[in-house]
């Protein structure tokens, strides 16, 4: 089973110029991007996620603020990440339950391998733990 991992994007630029980082398929994005979405203004007492995806793969970037992530496999293996740099991302394979907490100023950008499809979600934790 594929595992989540952190991606360090190249920071092109310099402190006195600012920076650009680039996400490109076949380089640092391991799938063809079909959809991009972003979340923002999440109050810091709110936990987002609490679902898994059957097939969706994602690369998630925190372009502002701080986001804390926890991923859990069906077998119970957990992976934790805290993103607080716009040059960092996470590759998230399908099949992981996720929980996310945000600083109020956090902006999450997600590049996804599939179009939006509610049937791809597993939103019940007990159903997820039985999923093969
Ligand atoms: C994940 C994190 C990073 C749409 O209508 N279209 C879309 O493309 C998306 C992503 C969502 N929605 C609707 C479906 C729900 O009614 O927006 C509502 C909230 O969506 P969701 O429950 O997916 O939101 P998050 O922030 O908990 O999770 C999302 C991703 O789905 C998830 O896989 O990793 O962002």
């Amino acid at each position: 089973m594929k595992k989540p991992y952190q991606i360090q994007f190249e920071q092109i630029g310099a402190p006195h110029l600012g920076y650009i980082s680039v996400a490109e398929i076949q380089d640092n994005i391991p799938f063809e991007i079909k959809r991009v979405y972003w979340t923002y203004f999440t109050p810091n007492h709110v936990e987002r996620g609490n679902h898994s995806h059957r097939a969706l793969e994602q690369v998630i970037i925190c372009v502002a603020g701080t986001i804390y992530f926890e991923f859990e496999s069906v077998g119970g293996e957990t992976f934790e990440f805290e993103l607080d740099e716009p040059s960092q991302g996470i590759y998230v394979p399908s099949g992981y339950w996720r929980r996310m907490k945000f600083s109020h100023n956090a902006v999450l950008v997600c590049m996804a391998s599939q179009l939006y499809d509610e049937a791809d979600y597993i939103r019940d934790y007990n159903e997820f733990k039985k999923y093969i």
Side-chain angles (χ1 to χ4, degrees):
M1 186 177 178
K2 291 184 190 170
K3 297 187 177 188
Y5 60 82
Q6 191 160 327
I7 300 168
Q8 180 62 52
F9 292 94
E10 187 183 354
Q11 292 181 282
I12 303 166
H16 63 289
L17 294 172
Y19 294 95
I20 180 168
S21 292
V22 181
E24 245 178 327
I25 54 169
Q26 293 176 353
D27 178 10
N28 43 27
I29 307 296
F31 51 80
E32 193 177 331
I33 298 164
K34 298 256 178 67
R35 178 170 52 117
V36 176
Y37 56 87
W38 47 101
T39 65
Y40 45 92
F41 301 159
T42 305
N44 51 21
H45 61 273
V46 170
E47 184 176 84
R48 297 187 74 106
N50 281 305
H51 59 256
S52 175
H53 289 283
R54 296 172 201 275
L56 192 75
E57 296 176 77
Q58 298 154 294
V59 168
I60 296 173
I61 299 171
C62 171
V63 293
T66 304
I67 310 175
Y68 171 77
F69 298 85
E70 188 181 296
F71 299 100
E72 180 184 343
S73 71
V74 172
E77 191 175 10
T78 58
F79 299 84
E80 293 177 27
F81 300 92
E82 189 172 274
L83 296 189
D84 58 5
E85 290 282 341
S87 60
Q88 297 168 345
I90 311 170
Y91 167 68
V92 188
S94 59
Y96 284 86
W97 192 262
R98 77 276 323 271
R99 299 185 185 92
M100 299 167 289
K101 296 274 284 181
F102 296 69
S103 64
H104 180 64
N105 62 339
V107 180
L108 175 155
V109 175
C110 180
M111 291 166 275
S113 65
Q114 312 269 337
L115 302 180
Y116 175 69
D117 178 9
E118 187 58 36
D120 186 66
Y121 283 74
I122 302 173
R123 293 190 183 272
D124 180 276
Y125 185 73
N126 294 325
E127 184 190 341
F128 164 71
K129 290 303 264 184
K130 290 185 215 142
Y131 187 66
I132 299 175

